[in-house]
Amino acid sequence: MAQLGRYRFLTIAVVFHLIYIYSIFSIYFVSPIVHGMREHHVENQEAPAKRLVLFVGDGLRADKAFQSFPDPSPGIEDSEEARVPRPLAPFLRSRVLEHGTFGVSHTRVPTESRPGHVALIAGLYEDVSAVMTGWKLNPVNFDSVFNRSRHTWSWGSPDILPMFEQGAVPGRVYADTYGHEFEDFSKDALELDIWVFEKVKKLFEDAKLNATLDAELRQEKNVFFLHLLGLDTTGHAHRPYSKQYLHNIQVVDNGVQEITELIEEFYADGKTSFVFTADHGMSDWGSHGDGHPDNTRTPLIAWGSGVARPNVATSGVAKGHEDGFSSDWGLDQIQRHDVSQADVAALMAYLAGLSFPTNSVGELPLSYLDTDPKSKAEALLANAEEILEMYRVKEDMKKSTELRYKPFPGLGDETHSVEYRVSQIQKSIDSGDADDAIKQSQELIQLGLQGLRYLQTYDWLFLRTLVTFGYVGWIVYAMTTVIDLHVLREETKTLRTVPSIIIFSSVLVALYAVLFMQHSPAVYYAYAFFPVMFWEEIWAQRPALIQGCKVLFGHVSSGADQFKLSLAVIASLALLEALVQSYFQREIFSICYLLATSWPAFYGPEFMKENVFLVATWILSCMLMSVFTLLPANKVEDLNLILLGGLLMFVVGVIYLLFEKAILVDAESSKDELSSSSVDSLSRTILGTQVGLIALAMIVTRSSVWYIQAKQGLPNGSKFVGWFTLVASLTVPFLHGLRPNSHYIHRLVVTFLAFAPSFIILTISYEGLFYFAFCLCLFSWMRLEHHVYNHTSSISKAVSTSANPALAAATGHLSSLKDGHYRALTLADGRIALFFLFFLQSAFFSTGNIASVSSFSLDAVYRLIPVFDPFSQGALLILKIMIPFAVMSTNFGILNRRLGVAPSALFMVVMAVGDVMTLNFFYMVKDEGSWLDIGTTISHFVIASLLGVFVAGLELVSELFIGGVEFGTGKTGKVEMKNGSVHGKTMVNGKINGHTS
């Protein structure tokens, strides 16, 4: 490890973190899909219905479906009658009041279209990672209601329908989709739903002239699926409380009524079942994906053949409304029957007389069925046998791989075996005790689900132990590497002996043998490899760890020194804990920024007086930054704030363009001419172009916002100018290479201007103001850290060794370095690493809420990509999120060079310290409780884990942005800092021949 290079270390860091991020899915969210189950269906019963119609209002919230609002229809807003609140879905409401059964369908995270539809149609909750395949055309690898039907006709989005068509029995599922270009967020999304309704009407019209089609339609066990995407698209573009979204509900209700009447007239046999629901809800800010109740509560209405009629309470409030959620729906007299989303698949399969999907974990909701108790008992028993069939297959798989399998206690012996329990239920049915049979079947279903969970979590203890040892090993390993490379200068020898190699190798071989015999996935071998590798390296490098601690803490001798060190450690741990808690409460950043304003005061009034302007700038920037985490993370488009942020960026560019020479000379820079007139002219032209692009970004953003809000569609001209501005702003800065100006302030300004147009085009509210304040804060911090370093270094020269052995030892160590070498790290550099880690978190949280990554609204990307394209739109969103990190890496890289430390030294410290938070979040992950809690803790762990990858990437970005930066003393005795090394002069205590760089 002593010879471990910088890039090799970064490579190990990236690979380790990416692999260990996946551990959360290996432990908590292993795919539940298995194959080889026998199918189960209700025997000896006539199917309640001959066909089934499924309506899915994509993105429809439960409350909006039933609440009353003023009429949102276009063109009548000013009429007196329109202002009177009324239900927006009168037909669906009539089904609830007179014809069927209703309730709330509770979804699970991720509340995205693919997982939601899979739960509805297959009765299966996919693992969270399935959201990554949410828009891919990939064959389904699970059974579904559609696959069990005789034939399924489906209409709707090309992002949903094909995944149920591909992989099903060939020819069984027919999917008619519109093109992706129809999903244009800048236009009226009502057309998407109208298209579906018109296609259904055409099918039945064609059947009147096509005998073959007519015969197919009249067969039993057919399913019709209408996917209505308009609500989701409208909600994203306008929010679910907007008139556009509410009017879309009216359109859906009218369409559902027309299709219902059309089908009932076509068949005229009263043997059709109808189900209306949604795949997920939508938050007030027009997004979904997490476990917020607005995203997980969707409407469920069933009516038609085989469905129970409403249960009306004669007095008081009917059952099911106890939570108060439906208190303003005007349906208190109608019993509400809530279900889990996967239960809908079991309901549809029973109504249409189909076998239950073999991967379904849904429980048949008996309250929705219009049949006798015995039939309900028989149906529920078949449902239980289907779930227990999955348990049997999974248990057989686990038995075949485990060395010492321990069975699930609830189903593990003869008196509790599946066969015995099923026979007891059948006896109750045969004896006429249907209620007891139903009770036993419900208990058996719960036992089956618990057994499936037992098998799903069987390897948890082993995997958690591996991951814990891996993260702790990485933290110690990284710190040992830092000490060896950047404190001791690789002066210690590695103590790797034959016995130690044999011991660690034996541990690894034993782990691999267990994994091999258990047929474990390949990634498990990586989980086992890293802890052994890290701890073997730590053991071999224990002399470096011991010696490094002596060097770093050797000055701590007196009681006062120990007290100061203790306070520093407590403060550092408190900051790390504050960062952990900030994932839950963004306001903690405001407190931290306000506390940070007092930081310069710790260096005395003389330091404050000497750097009064810099200290004032730091205090101002911290106070500005403290405001953003007090603002709502879920933003609404505000053109005035967008333009204000753009104006501040524009003003910064103009000021620098006009006073460039004065600014650079005043910044402790070279006193010589910056460049010849020709060079200066071209450089200023390029800078002027960058400033002009900011103005152009403001103009095109204003135009695009107007067109989108007016629902006139985004003109190609606005789209072209927007893309041109974005691409040009990111490419024009490279033209500075024609006439390089290597001053660090010039490089920072160029970087600031390069990303400014992106932060205007891709912003919806105060994000541009944040970008301005964040860059100001980083610049102030970078310069302040350098002044603090010079101040403490100058003090060390005036203090004797006995009075302050720590500073004297550091001075002696630095003075002994050869020309061009980096200085060694000290304990004081830990503060810099913590500041960087703090800014790293702030770059994300100041404009968003980690509890919902979806709080980063997609509204802005509609100005460039108005047509639904989740991966391209997501890429633009990620670009916007990454910009502050790029700016931060530039400032940190320059600070590294100004302090004379190795380029990777402080980055490595940040990577080690940051994983203290990751390990914290690993133990905070929840797999039980509300899905909001579960989804939030998963997000926390993944984001904290990615910080290690971010930091490794930021170091490389830093090198790209600051390559060739110079710090000099003028033409006479010019000193350059390239790649972190001092060329030409000796650097001692941050000064070069007495002049501060």
Side-chain angles (χ1 to χ4, degrees):
M1 187 182 73
Q3 303 300 324
L4 187 67
R6 167 189 176 191
Y7 293 109
R8 184 182 170 194
F9 176 86
L10 293 177
T11 301
I12 292 175
V14 171
V15 172
F16 166 73
H17 283 93
L18 289 179
I19 290 177
Y20 265 51
I21 284 173
Y22 192 76
S23 69
I24 196 70
F25 301 110
S26 296
I27 297 173
Y28 297 101
F29 296 97
V30 178
S31 177
I33 298 173
V34 292
H35 302 282
M37 288 80 69
R38 298 187 300 269
E39 64 179 73
H40 291 268
H41 62 276
V42 182
E43 300 178 355
N44 305 320
Q45 283 190 33
E46 180 183 353
K50 292 183 178 180
R51 66 201 67 87
L52 177 106
V53 182
L54 170 63
F55 303 94
V56 175
D58 198 310
L60 177 59
R61 279 169 47 162
D63 54 352
K64 301 303 179 186
F66 298 113
Q67 289 171 337
S68 296
F69 298 92
D71 193 341
S73 301
I76 63 170
E77 296 90 343
D78 297 331
S79 67
E80 191 68 29
E81 183 182 356
R83 296 193 184 97
V84 179
R86 81 283 310 281
L88 300 182
F91 176 76
L92 289 172
R93 191 178 185 86
S94 70
R95 304 303 95 179
V96 173
L97 293 171
E98 303 168 9
H99 300 279
T101 306
F102 97 109
V104 174
S105 171
H106 295 273
T107 73
R108 290 190 183 183
V109 290
T111 46
E112 296 288 351
S113 290
R114 175 190 166 101
H117 281 89
V118 169
L120 283 172
I121 298 167
L124 164 72
Y125 295 116
E126 285 194 302
D127 58 286
V128 172
S129 61
V131 71
M132 301 303 295
T133 62
W135 302 279
K136 290 174 60 178
L137 177 57
N138 58 316
V140 293
N141 57 352
F142 47 79
D143 197 14
S144 70
V145 172
F146 294 172
N147 192 46
R148 290 291 160 189
S149 68
R150 186 180 305 276
H151 194 88
T152 292
W153 284 268
S154 59
W155 302 267
S157 169
D159 305 303
I160 298 300
L161 268 57
M163 72 181 184
F164 293 100
E165 178 186 24
Q166 302 294 322
V169 174
R172 180 162 293 179
V173 180
Y174 167 80
D176 191 1
T177 65
Y178 39 74
H180 282 282
E181 65 276 7
F182 275 69
E183 301 176 28
D184 191 334
F185 289 93
S186 66
K187 297 180 180 179
D188 202 331
L190 296 174
E191 298 301 323
L192 300 178
D193 298 338
I194 294 174
W195 183 95
V196 171
F197 295 134
E198 292 300 321
K199 283 290 184 177
V200 179
K201 294 176 185 177
K202 186 177 186 304
L203 175 74
F204 286 96
E205 285 295 325
D206 292 345
K208 297 178 181 179
L209 305 175
N210 187 328
T212 302
L213 176 60
D214 183 76
E216 289 181 350
L217 289 174
R218 294 186 184 280
Q219 290 179 324
E220 296 182 2
K221 300 184 178 181
N222 283 338
V223 174
F224 302 92
F225 172 41
L226 286 72
H227 176 240
L228 308 172
L229 184 63
L231 284 162
D232 185 73
T233 306
T234 303
H236 285 315
H238 298 284
R239 309 294 189 268
Y241 50 76
S242 64
K243 290 184 178 180
Q244 293 88 342
Y245 184 89
L246 299 178
H247 177 52
N248 205 147
I249 295 177
Q250 292 179 311
V251 172
V252 167
D253 183 70
N254 290 334
V256 170
Q257 180 176 2
E258 290 178 357
I259 299 304
T260 300
E261 294 172 351
L262 172 67
I263 290 177
E264 289 181 336
E265 179 183 352
F266 180 86
Y267 290 106
D269 60 1
K271 298 296 288 183
T272 305
S273 295
F274 299 89
V275 175
F276 179 89
T277 187
D279 55 344
H280 55 73
M282 184 167 290
S283 66
D284 282 339
W285 51 95
S287 60
H288 53 82
D290 62 21
H292 192 281
D294 287 339
N295 295 332
T296 61
R297 291 188 292 214
T298 61
L300 175 61
I301 307 171
W303 69 95
S305 181
V307 179
R309 299 181 70 83
N311 188 349
V312 182
T314 56
S315 63
V317 178
K319 293 181 179 179
H321 298 275
E322 292 81 6
D323 59 3
F325 173 57
S326 51
S327 60
D328 59 347
W329 296 358
L331 298 173
D332 288 352
Q333 76 279 18
I334 308 297
Q335 184 173 346
R336 194 179 107 193
H337 304 269
D338 288 9
V339 302
S340 297
Q341 191 172 51
D343 299 343
V344 179
L347 173 63
M348 293 191 297
Y350 173 77
L351 291 174
L354 311 177
S355 297
F356 293 105
T358 56
N359 296 111
S360 173
V361 296
E363 179 180 348
L364 181 64
L366 300 181
S367 60
Y368 280 74
L369 308 184
D370 181 21
T371 187
D372 58 89
K374 181 180 179 182
S375 297
K376 290 183 178 181
E378 292 175 343
L380 196 61
L381 176 58
N383 185 196
E385 289 179 307
E386 173 267 319
I387 292 175
L388 291 166
E389 180 70 12
M390 274 192 294
Y391 172 80
R392 180 190 65 79
V393 171
K394 284 193 172 187
E395 185 180 47
D396 289 344
M397 293 172 59
K398 184 60 66 176
K399 284 180 179 179
S400 66
T401 59
E402 287 297 318
L403 297 179
R404 297 180 60 185
Y405 173 72
K406 184 178 179 181
F408 174 59
L411 300 170
D413 53 61
E414 290 187 8
T415 58
H416 297 89
S417 66
V418 173
E419 294 76 11
Y420 177 78
R421 290 178 181 273
V422 170
S423 65
Q424 293 299 111
I425 296 173
Q426 190 62 55
K427 287 181 181 179
S428 295
I429 295 176
D430 295 338
S431 64
D433 194 351
D435 291 339
D436 181 66
I438 290 174
K439 180 180 179 181
Q440 290 187 60
S441 293
Q442 290 173 336
E443 292 175 353
L444 186 56
I445 287 175
Q446 294 306 314
L447 273 176
L449 295 176
Q450 292 172 19
L452 289 173
R453 175 168 175 77
Y454 173 81
L455 297 173
Q456 196 86 351
T457 62
Y458 194 86
D459 297 326
W460 275 22
L461 178 61
F462 175 68
L463 290 175
R464 280 173 165 174
T465 303
L466 281 182
V467 171
T468 300
F469 273 96
Y471 272 114
V472 174
W474 159 256
I475 294 171
V476 181
Y477 164 81
M479 293 307 300
T480 305
T481 303
V482 171
I483 290 173
D484 187 47
L485 294 180
H486 303 300
V487 176
L488 301 178
R489 310 306 185 103
E490 306 181 55
E491 295 175 353
T492 58
K493 294 182 179 180
T494 301
L495 292 182
R496 182 174 283 109
T497 61
V498 174
S500 68
I501 294 175
I502 292 175
I503 292 174
F504 284 102
S505 298
S506 299
V507 172
L508 185 62
V509 169
L511 288 172
Y512 277 12
V514 172
L515 294 176
F516 178 78
M517 296 179 69
Q518 295 184 168
H519 303 284
S520 300
V523 71
Y524 284 24
Y525 292 85
Y527 298 156
F529 172 77
F530 281 108
V532 177
M533 182 193 76
F534 289 149
W535 288 105
E536 193 279 333
E537 289 285 356
I538 294 167
W539 177 258
Q541 283 299 313
R542 63 190 184 281
L545 197 58
I546 295 171
Q547 183 62 27
C549 290
K550 291 180 179 179
V551 172
L552 291 173
F553 300 102
H555 65 281
V556 182
S557 56
S558 65
D561 292 334
Q562 293 176 356
F563 179 73
K564 292 179 181 178
L565 178 62
S566 299
L567 287 181
V569 171
I570 293 173
S572 300
L573 293 176
L575 177 61
L576 290 174
E577 182 60 28
L579 292 179
V580 170
Q581 295 304 318
S582 67
Y583 280 61
F584 303 93
Q585 299 291 333
R586 294 171 63 241
E587 295 78 7
I588 290 176
F589 281 99
S590 298
I591 298 173
C592 291
Y593 271 115
L594 292 177
L595 292 176
T597 58
S598 64
W599 169 48
F602 286 90
Y603 302 99
E606 182 180 349
F607 175 81
M608 299 275 287
K609 185 177 180 181
E610 290 177 355
N611 303 280
V612 59
F613 179 75
L614 179 57
V615 171
T617 305
W618 165 255
I619 294 174
L620 174 63
S621 63
C622 286
M623 294 180 68
L624 290 175
M625 286 299 299
S626 69
V627 174
F628 294 104
T629 42
L630 297 177
L631 299 176
N634 307 308
K635 302 168 284 294
V636 178
E637 191 170 58
D638 190 325
L639 184 60
N640 292 329
L641 288 179
I642 296 173
L643 297 180
L644 178 59
L647 179 62
L648 289 175
M649 302 175 206
F650 180 79
V651 169
V652 170
V654 171
I655 292 176
Y656 183 77
L657 191 62
L658 296 176
F659 304 103
E660 177 181 359
K661 292 186 178 182
I663 291 173
L664 299 187
V665 169
D666 288 343
E668 305 166 333
S669 180
S670 57
K671 306 299 182 183
D672 61 316
E673 292 293 327
L674 296 175
S675 56
S676 64
S677 58
S678 60
V679 174
D680 189 50
S681 176
L682 179 57
S683 177
R684 290 167 65 81
T685 300
I686 299 172
L687 276 172
T689 302
Q690 287 189 268
V691 175
L693 287 171
I694 296 177
L696 183 60
M698 296 170 63
I699 294 172
V700 71
T701 298
R702 185 179 185 279
S703 172
S704 299
V705 169
W706 186 87
Y707 279 109
I708 293 175
Q709 290 182 347
K711 302 302 293 181
Q712 296 185 6
L714 186 64
N716 290 330
S718 296
K719 192 191 311 181
F720 172 79
V721 174
W723 274 109
F724 170 79
T725 305
L726 181 71
V727 174
S729 66
L730 299 176
T731 54
V732 166
F734 290 100
L735 297 178
H736 284 284
L738 301 175
R739 291 293 188 270
N741 184 336
S742 299
H743 195 285
Y744 75 97
I745 290 184
H746 182 84
R747 189 66 56 86
L748 289 174
V749 172
V750 168
T751 303
F752 171 80
L753 298 178
F755 294 119
S758 301
F759 240 88
I760 297 172
I761 297 174
L762 300 177
T763 190
I764 65 170
S765 184
Y766 57 78
E767 300 101 303
L769 298 173
F770 156 77
Y771 179 68
F772 170 81
F774 188 64
C775 291
L776 177 64
C777 192
L778 287 174
F779 180 70
S780 302
W781 171 66
M782 181 267 295
R783 296 196 67 198
L784 195 56
E785 283 285 7
H786 183 239
H787 283 248
V788 167
Y789 177 76
N790 289 335
H791 177 73
T792 55
S793 298
S794 63
I795 292 177
S796 68
K797 293 183 178 182
V799 180
S800 65
T801 303
S802 59
N804 199 324
L807 291 174
T811 303
H813 188 76
L814 290 172
S815 300
S816 65
L817 298 179
K818 297 179 180 179
D819 290 357
H821 284 190
Y822 303 116
R823 71 168 177 85
L825 293 180
T826 64
L827 284 179
D829 293 315
R831 180 196 68 250
I832 300 175
L834 288 174
F835 259 115
F836 180 80
L837 187 62
F838 173 76
F839 285 125
L840 194 68
Q841 309 283 334
S842 177
F844 190 92
F845 286 108
S846 293
T847 58
N849 178 5
I850 196 59
S852 171
V853 177
S854 59
S855 65
F856 293 95
S857 175
L858 288 173
D859 280 13
V861 302
Y862 301 156
R863 302 166 197 163
L864 298 176
I865 307 178
V867 177
F868 182 66
D869 186 352
F871 289 110
S872 299
Q873 292 173 331
L876 287 176
L877 183 60
I878 291 174
L879 171 64
K880 171 187 172 183
I881 294 173
M882 291 295 105
I883 286 174
F885 295 112
V887 176
M888 185 173 59
S889 69
T890 305
N891 281 270
F892 196 53
I894 289 177
L895 177 61
N896 277 356
R897 294 193 178 188
R898 300 197 80 190
L899 297 181
V901 299
S904 60
L906 293 178
F907 282 103
M908 292 166 69
V909 175
V910 173
M911 279 187 276
V913 174
D915 277 322
V916 174
M917 297 173 54
T918 304
L919 193 57
N920 197 326
F921 285 125
F922 179 75
Y923 283 105
M924 295 171 68
V925 169
K926 296 181 179 180
D927 64 303
E928 295 179 337
S930 74
W931 280 103
L932 175 61
D933 293 338
I934 296 171
T936 299
T937 56
I938 293 170
S939 299
H940 291 172
F941 172 77
V942 172
I943 296 298
S945 300
L946 282 174
L947 287 180
V949 181
F950 282 167
V951 173
L954 289 179
E955 180 180 351
L956 301 179
V957 171
S958 174
E959 288 298 301
L960 173 66
F961 281 109
I962 68 172
V965 168
E966 298 177 0
F967 305 106
T969 60
K971 290 182 179 178
T972 58
K974 185 176 182 181
V975 180
E976 297 182 355
M977 285 285 291
K978 292 186 177 181
N979 299 324
S981 300
V982 181
H983 298 276
K985 299 294 179 182
T986 302
M987 175 175 169
V988 179
N989 295 331
K991 294 188 176 183
I992 306 175
N993 283 1
H995 181 82
T996 305
S997 63

